[in-house]
């Protein structure tokens, strides 16, 4: 599952590696571009959902559908909206890969996803964190976090 898929920068690569991909993006123009990019690459097996991420996460939490093996997300600078991090953590994916353009919102969201709260048991552990300086000589840095399920 890919959240905040946009026009498919990661979706095309994921579709080449996985039998089934669910790509979620709220912007209709972006999902139209995503579908054209997939068609142009001759790729199938991708379900494109034009919906807000928190709506999809909420619906998955309520349903008995199978859980995703892995989730890749690249949210906006503001990170996940209130409640979405907890919903993501309860999906039960074996791995979560979170690409962030703001280390502060990444840290906030990971604290919730990993269950680092006094009243909850840990759900995920951070197995890898990589900083990427894509904009040299600016204060901006991308951070890629890989989380593995603890159970």
């Amino acid at each position: 599952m890919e959240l905040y898929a946009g026009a498919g920068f990661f979706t095309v690569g994921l579709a080449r590696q996985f039998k089934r991909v669910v790509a979620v993006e709220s912007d209709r123009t972006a999902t139209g571009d995503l579908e054209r990019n997939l068609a142009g690459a001759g790729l199938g097996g991708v379900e494109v959902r034009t919906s807000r991420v928190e709506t999809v996460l909420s619906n998955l939490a309520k349903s008995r559908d199978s859980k995703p093996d892995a989730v890749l997300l690249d949210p906006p600078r503001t990170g996940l909206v209130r409640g979405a991090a907890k919903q993501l953590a309860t999906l039960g994916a074996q791995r979560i890969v979170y690409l962030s353009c703001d280390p502060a919102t990444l840290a906030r969201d990971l604290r919730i996803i990993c269950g680092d709260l006094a009243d909850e048991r840990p759900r995920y552990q951070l197995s890898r964190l990589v900083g990427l300086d894509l904009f040299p000589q600016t204060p901006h840095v991308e951070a890629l976090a890989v989380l593995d399920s603890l159970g």
Side-chain angles (χ1 to χ4, degrees), residues 6-7 28 30-40 43 48-50:
R28 288 194 186 282
T31 56
D33 291 340
L34 170 55
E35 288 170 341
R36 281 186 290 282
N37 288 336
L38 291 166
L43 296 169
V48 178
R49 295 187 186 178
T50 305

Side-chain angles (χ1 to χ4, degrees), residues 66-87:
S66 62
K67 63 185 176 189
D69 293 327
V71 177
L72 170 71
L73 65 149
D74 183 7
R77 185 171 302 281
T78 54
L80 293 169
V81 299
R82 186 180 188 107
K86 192 165 189 170
Q87 290 173 327

Side-chain angles (χ1 to χ4, degrees), residues 1 4 9-10 17 27 41 43-44 46 56 66-67 72-73 84 86 89 98 100 102 106 111 113 122 127 131 134 142:
M1 174 173 275
Y4 305 98
F9 183 76
F10 295 110
Q17 296 297 316
D27 184 89
L43 296 169
V46 178
V56 170
S66 62
K67 63 185 176 189
L72 170 71
L73 65 149
K86 192 165 189 170
Y98 188 136
S100 174
D102 185 353
L106 173 66
R111 182 169 183 244
I113 295 167
S127 60
L134 298 178
E142 300 285 318

